[in-house]
Amino acid sequence: MERFIILMLIGLAAQLVDGALGMGYGLTSTTLLLSAGIAPAIASASVHMAEVVTTAASGASHIKFGNVDKKMLKRLIIPGSIGAFSGATFLSHLTGEYVRLYVSIFLVCLGLYILGRFLWMKDARKQEHAALSNRFYVPLGFIAGFFDASGGGGWGPIATPALLSQKGMIPRKVIGTVNTSEFVIALSATIGFMISLGPSQINWLWVGAIMAGGVIAAPIAAWIVKSLPTKVLAVIVSGMLIFTNVRAIFSYTTLSSSITTSSYVMIIIIWGSIALYTIQKERKSKLVVQLKSRKTS
């Protein structure tokens, strides 16, 4: 019962992040599952099985509200599915103590990527639209799908920023299309894990717990989006991913405790400084908007 509650809280925390940022369910839940001592392949398999249900509901909503570009969807699904199946098979066949090291390094990189995405990446949505060919979609879909399955998350964090950085992309169409396509990606990864690991290796109670937590968190995430600036939340989440997985990486080294402690302190100081800077910047932007609205009224 205690394990069930912990996993439900993990699902809840992951959905809070994903609902507020539009990405991060897999990254957050996988990181927390690894911290709870669950094997990487089982953690990723459990997350993707839960995502089959959550992404189906999300995709249906985006289709209903007209947030999906059908041409983009078709171009992403096929290479993404192949990449996800390949990633699941790859992770399932990795053996030995260094499996978690691989996953943790990947999660640290994605944590840094999310941080950079929300703080410094330029917005190209106002530029003239440029048509994209399969030369762009095929490698993007395959890479995002592969790392999503083998790293426990990454479809949204890789595909969404890559598409938004292209000229003339409409944000709601990009987010809606990526979210809708994730159903097929999660399903392909799940099939890969089922074939490679077998149903007996999956704890269905864990999957249900993660899923239940996500359902409970959905309305809370909507409130967070309204109340907390997205950039501030992105800094908090990326910092959590980096700090947690750096600790896992250090466990594979022979570094002294003084060096590791100094590293942790440095990460916390840098993380705190960026968070403080982001909060102050968001406050200034809010004040500027309020002053402009007063002048015009």
Side-chain angles (χ1 to χ4, degrees):
M1 187 61 185
E2 183 181 348
R3 176 59 69 90
F4 183 87
I5 293 173
I6 291 172
L7 292 171
M8 195 167 80
L9 290 173
I10 287 173
L12 189 147
Q15 184 58 46
L16 288 177
V17 172
D18 191 75
L21 291 183
M23 63 178 74
Y25 183 91
L27 296 176
T28 307
S29 51
T30 301
T31 294
L32 294 174
L33 286 172
L34 291 176
S35 299
I38 296 174
I42 301 298
S44 185
S46 301
V47 169
H48 282 89
M49 287 176 187
E51 280 186 318
V52 170
V53 175
T54 58
T55 54
S58 176
S61 298
H62 281 298
I63 291 172
K64 182 180 179 180
F65 288 106
N67 295 335
V68 178
D69 184 322
K70 292 182 180 179
K71 290 183 179 180
M72 189 191 303
L73 184 69
K74 291 177 182 178
R75 289 181 168 183
L76 284 172
I77 280 177
I78 295 175
S81 299
I82 296 171
F85 184 87
S86 302
T89 305
F90 170 74
L91 182 61
S92 299
H93 286 88
L94 280 179
T95 57
E97 58 179 327
Y98 292 103
V99 180
R100 185 178 175 184
L101 177 61
Y102 159 76
V103 177
S104 294
I105 290 172
F106 171 71
L107 290 172
V108 167
C109 292
L110 272 187
L112 292 169
Y113 189 71
I114 290 174
L115 184 65
R117 160 74 185 95
F118 281 92
L119 290 181
W120 298 295
M121 184 174 283
K122 294 181 179 179
D123 189 355
R125 77 183 93 174
K126 296 181 180 179
Q127 298 178 14
E128 186 180 349
H129 180 68
L132 301 173
S133 67
N134 286 331
R135 289 184 180 181
F136 175 83
Y137 285 111
V138 171
L140 173 63
F142 182 84
I143 291 170
F146 182 88
F147 282 111
D148 185 84
S150 64
W155 179 254
I158 293 175
T160 301
L163 288 166
L164 284 176
S165 66
Q166 302 304 306
K167 293 181 179 180
M169 283 292 182
I170 302 171
R172 71 177 183 88
K173 288 282 188 179
V174 170
I175 293 170
T177 303
V178 171
N179 271 268
T180 303
S181 63
E182 194 169 7
F183 165 72
V184 181
I185 306 309
L187 183 61
S188 300
T190 298
I191 293 171
F193 282 120
M194 290 290 285
I195 293 173
S196 301
L197 296 175
S200 61
Q201 294 293 317
I202 307 300
N203 190 314
W204 299 100
L205 188 64
W206 294 358
V207 176
I210 298 169
M211 199 182 301
V215 171
I216 293 171
I220 305 172
W223 176 81
I224 289 178
V225 172
K226 183 180 178 181
S227 307
L228 189 65
T230 303
K231 287 185 178 181
V232 175
L233 187 63
V235 171
I236 294 171
V237 172
S238 59
M240 182 272 291
L241 289 173
I242 293 166
F243 183 80
T244 305
N245 288 288
V246 163
R247 288 186 64 190
I249 293 170
F250 279 163
S251 68
Y252 287 88
T253 68
T254 57
L255 295 173
S256 64
S257 59
S258 59
I259 294 176
T260 55
T261 302
S262 299
S263 300
Y264 297 148
V265 171
M266 188 178 297
I267 291 172
I268 292 172
I269 291 173
I270 294 172
W271 180 18
S273 300
I274 294 175
L276 184 61
Y277 167 77
T278 306
I279 292 170
Q280 291 175 342
K281 191 175 180 180
E282 288 295 312
R283 284 178 179 174
K284 288 180 181 178
S285 299
K286 192 175 181 180
L287 286 172
V288 170
V289 172
Q290 289 176 348
L291 289 171
K292 285 182 178 179
S293 62
R294 288 176 184 176
K295 288 180 180 179
T296 54
S297 60

